[in-house]
Amino acid sequence: MHGADPRLVLGLHRSRHDRGLLTAALDLGVTALDTAAPYLGFRSHMALSEMAADLLPKFTLSTKVGFFPGAGGVEHSLDPGRLRLAVEEAARELGREPDTVLLHNPERSLTGLSLADDRALFGGACAALAEAARDGLCQDWGVASWDPRLLSRARVEDLPSPDVLMVRAGFLVGIDLLDLVAVLREVWKVGETWGMSPFGGGHGKVWEEFDPRPFLRPHHGALSRIQAAFRTSFHLPSATAVAVGTDDSGHLAELVQALSAEVDTDAVSQYLHALHSRRQN
Ligand SMILES: NC(=O)c1ccc[n+]([C@@H]2O[C@H](COP(=O)([O-])OP(=O)(O)OC[C@H]3O[C@@H](n4cnc5c(N)ncnc54)[C@H](OP(=O)(O)O)[C@@H]3O)[C@@H](O)[C@H]2O)c1
């Protein structure tokens, strides 16, 4: 997918689910939304269909399953039957099939103790989502992982290859995770990589101390630090799409503007090289 236009996905993790923001997004040419069953206290799907049923067909829509309402509030499960029901419920609540369904933070149910047990559990969950896609409940399936360390080579090899792997992106991601993702997507024959949470949920102060604008080609000097951080996140790791959260249409417009900037990939390579060297010392 190298060379494809960078795609901004409006992530609804921390969103108020405001119709005005969805309208503004469409006006800005943002046509991808990412949500998850547990967002907005397990009401995200319903809220979207109640307030924006007419807008939803204009977006490509990804959602995630794996968290369920439980005794203590929220519980995680990789049970194939529960996942299948959750995919069906997502389509029902949204009033349409999602384009992509992602397994939400599978590491929460993996123990790291027994490779064989983890592999069987994770493999069953992947197979359930792959089957849901084959049955037309979604077009694509994938995995969204905040901490993919337990998704090691041994745990994914020969499991169904996901269409999408969604992982943290940007300057706040460490070199160990970037390296792990590079191995994972190779071994697992991942279709597309999507980035998420390029600001780590909103660490504004980082950009006061660190200026990422040198990672853009010089004629984009007019962009802000946060715009440069966002644009460069498509290369850390290299991703076709990045899910970013905002409740502010002005902020969204800034992020859209940043998409047209060109990243200095030599600078990114030097940065990665420097991180590798630092680790070896
Ligand atoms: N495990 C998972 O599956 C997982 C976990 C986390 C996130 N995600 C996905 O990634 C998406 C984004 O993650 P996130 O919202 O946690 O983190 P994020 O995108 O890194 O950060 C969102 C924060 O950045 C601020 N922001 C955005 N644009 C800005 C701008 N132009 N100027 C200043 N501030 C700006 C927002 O504030 P304002 O509202 O003020 O703009 C918000 O506080 C989620 O919605 C979800 O789709 C997935």
Side-chain angles (χ1 to χ4, degrees):
M1 277 285 174
H2 285 288
D5 285 342
R7 188 154 45 101
L8 188 162
V9 180
L10 180 58
L12 302 180
H13 179 25
R14 299 163 204 277
S15 169
R16 288 194 301 269
H17 288 62
D18 172 43
R19 181 182 166 92
L21 185 69
L22 299 190
T23 311
L26 288 171
D27 288 346
L28 289 165
V30 173
T31 56
L33 288 182
D34 178 68
T35 189
Y39 291 178
L40 203 70
F42 288 96
R43 286 223 1 106
S44 177
H45 295 157
M46 291 297 287
L48 286 171
S49 63
E50 281 165 14
M51 69 164 177
D54 56 325
L55 302 181
L56 286 190
K58 300 177 182 173
F59 288 98
T60 58
L61 191 56
S62 51
T63 190
K64 315 183 198 76
V65 294
F67 287 97
F68 299 87
V74 180
E75 67 182 34
H76 192 268
S77 173
L78 292 180
D79 176 81
R82 290 185 85 181
L83 293 170
R84 172 70 181 218
L85 289 176
V87 178
E88 291 171 0
E89 191 178 357
R92 225 176 10 256
E93 289 180 348
L94 286 163
R96 54 159 282 193
E97 272 95 23
D99 296 279
T100 305
V101 177
L102 303 160
L103 196 53
H104 202 172
N105 293 357
E107 63 272 15
R108 289 286 290 267
S109 288
L110 302 178
T111 62
L113 294 176
S114 157
L115 199 58
D117 287 352
D118 278 356
R119 210 180 123 75
L121 192 62
F122 186 46
C126 290
L129 290 203
E131 189 179 323
R134 270 199 307 279
D135 292 348
L137 293 175
C138 53
Q139 272 171 38
D140 295 325
W141 76 277
V143 172
S145 175
W146 186 258
D147 181 1
R149 280 175 300 174
L150 285 180
L151 309 186
S152 62
R153 172 190 289 266
R155 284 185 178 82
V156 304
E157 216 160 24
D158 303 328
L159 296 187
S161 300
D163 300 304
V164 176
L165 176 65
M166 189 183 202
V167 289
R168 280 180 283 151
F171 285 106
L172 302 176
V173 179
I175 190 64
D176 290 346
L177 187 65
L178 293 173
D179 284 350
L180 175 75
V181 168
V183 171
L184 261 188
R185 60 189 186 185
E186 177 79 27
V187 171
W188 206 4
K189 301 179 186 65
V190 167
E192 285 189 40
T193 304
W194 293 359
M196 65 180 172
S197 214
F199 307 127
H203 286 265
K205 288 236 179 300
V206 172
W207 318 114
E208 287 170 22
E209 289 161 19
F210 168 62
D211 185 353
R213 285 176 292 188
F215 287 86
L216 300 184
R217 298 275 180 207
H219 55 280
H220 293 295
L223 294 187
S224 69
R225 293 178 179 208
I226 204 149
Q227 286 174 307
F230 174 63
R231 184 64 186 91
T232 311
S233 72
F234 285 80
H235 292 262
L236 295 169
S238 63
T240 51
V242 172
V244 60
T246 180
D247 265 335
D248 180 326
S249 57
H251 285 171
L252 188 61
E254 289 170 16
L255 299 174
V256 170
Q257 188 193 14
L259 292 177
S260 58
E262 196 185 337
V263 174
D264 183 344
T265 50
D266 290 341
V268 173
S269 298
Q270 280 169 26
Y271 170 71
L272 294 174
H273 182 72
L275 291 181
H276 282 127
S277 307
R278 184 172 172 271
R279 188 173 54 184
Q280 277 154 18
N281 290 335

